[in-house]
């Protein structure tokens, strides 16, 4: 099972990563990795950046019934 330090170290190596990427890399369940990322954010060690990846075909994400399905959450360590 992955530890909080392993998640932090993986973020340090990658620079920035999505929770799904870290889950695969550490061979840990996504909810566990997400909880650890949330904990790192609460401790002030990491931050979450929401990026619009341009995946919306209509360009009207604000009015889309899917809400923010086109956005990507990326995590990185704070400097």
């Amino acid at each position: 099972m992955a530890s909080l330090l392993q998640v932090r170290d993986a973020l340090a190596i990658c620079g920035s990563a999505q929770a799904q990427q870290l889950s695969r890399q550490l061979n840990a369940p996504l909810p566990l990795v997400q909880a650890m990322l949330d904990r790192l954010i609460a401790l002030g060690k990491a931050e979450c950046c929401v990026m619009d990846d341009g995946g919306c075909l209509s360009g009207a994400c604000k009015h889309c019934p899917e809400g923010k399905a086109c956005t990507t959450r990326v995590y990185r360590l704070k400097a």
Side-chain angles (χ1 to χ4, degrees), residues 12 22 39 71:
L22 293 171
R39 184 65 181 150
T71 58

Side-chain angles (χ1 to χ4, degrees), residues 5-22:
L5 292 176
Q6 287 175 313
V7 172
R8 185 206 60 193
D9 291 346
L11 271 180
I13 291 169
C14 294
S16 62
Q18 295 179 351
Q20 296 87 347
Q21 177 186 355
L22 293 171

Side-chain angles (χ1 to χ4, degrees), residues 2-70:
S3 70
L4 190 62
L5 292 176
Q6 287 175 313
V7 172
R8 185 206 60 193
D9 291 346
L11 271 180
I13 291 169
C14 294
S16 62
Q18 295 179 351
Q20 296 87 347
Q21 177 186 355
L22 293 171
S23 175
R24 286 189 305 270
Q25 182 179 344
L26 298 172
N27 196 24
L30 181 58
L32 175 64
V33 171
Q34 187 65 56
M36 289 184 196
L37 289 168
D38 292 341
R39 184 65 181 150
L40 287 171
I41 291 170
L43 291 170
K45 302 294 182 185
E47 60 186 356
C48 176
C49 302
V50 179
M51 300 171 54
D52 181 7
D53 62 2
C56 182
L57 298 176
S58 68
C61 286
K62 293 179 183 174
H63 307 292
C64 178
E66 295 294 323
K68 299 196 183 283
C70 299

